[in-house]
Amino acid sequence: RKGCTIENSKPAFQVYSINNLPFDYQVRRSRRVQRARIVVSPEKIEVVVPLLMSERSVHTFVRDHQRWVTRTLDKIEKQHQQIVGLAPDKYTDGVMIPFQGEKWKLTIRPSKLKRVKMEFDGGLFIAHIPKSLINTDYSENIREVLIKWMKKRVKMESEEIVARHADRYGLIPKSIRIRKQKSRWGSCGIHDDININWVLILAAPEVLEYVVVHEICHIRFRDHSANFWSLVAAHLPEYKKPRAWLRKQGASLMLGL
């Protein structure tokens, strides 16, 4: 596709044909910015510009940064392939399942049970398949049960992390909820309920720990001030490593299984 979408104060979008650009982009005008910037994500390319910046200047700015945009798109695609490559297209005997930063083999076992059951034993995922499904395409059944299993696991892991950290400074959440969030790893509500994205269980354990600690620290500080980051560091002196990992791999990890 070629061209761009311009978003301004009007509700409609204007589409421009920029023939020498290999990507589409949209522009968001903001009173808060003084200089133009480009934000590249798997979903879109957004150019954030000052209110009074002319359309010609916007297009020139994007053309001047075309090489950077294409390099960033290539990088995101490689990260996407790396993470997606961990999750199988079909959940059949012998495929490898991502879990806690590693890959683990899936074994299929016929069962007298009426429903698919998942367990993790000795570094092996075992899917117990009802005999009535053995000769059918049960891949989606396994995927659904696997996700439910992982949600329970991330809930248990999150509770253990809170138990290790919360009492130190009285950062005790009212509840811990596990969700699939499209753009957040976690959040802390006004009543000190924290939400954790279940796909974090696919990453290494220190990544989940960082996010949980990040959210309970918001019980004390609702912003990202220096005091907030000092509190995070008091719990996790090496927090910058998992934080940097999420910034680099997070867009692909967010795709889940």
Side-chain angles (χ1 to χ4, degrees), residues 141-176:
N141 300 80
I142 291 179
R143 177 179 174 274
E144 291 176 357
V145 172
L146 183 61
I147 290 175
K148 289 180 181 179
W149 182 91
M150 289 195 173
K151 287 180 177 179
K152 291 181 180 179
R153 184 61 180 258
V154 76
K155 177 69 178 296
M156 180 185 71
E157 298 281 349
S158 297
E159 290 173 345
E160 291 178 356
I161 293 168
V162 168
R164 290 200 302 270
H165 291 279
D167 288 342
R168 185 175 181 184
Y169 295 106
L171 306 177
I172 302 174
K174 181 179 179 182
S175 66
I176 304 172

Side-chain angles (χ1 to χ4, degrees), residues 42 65 72-73 105 121 157:
H65 291 80
T72 304
L73 288 171
K105 188 177 179 180
D121 183 24
E157 298 281 349

Side-chain angles (χ1 to χ4, degrees), residues 28-37 39 47-53:
R28 177 166 60 86
R29 299 184 180 276
S30 173
R31 295 182 177 86
R32 298 181 179 181
V33 301
Q34 297 180 342
R35 300 177 61 184
R37 70 175 188 271
V39 180
V47 186
V48 186
V49 302
L51 283 178
L52 300 180
M53 188 172 184

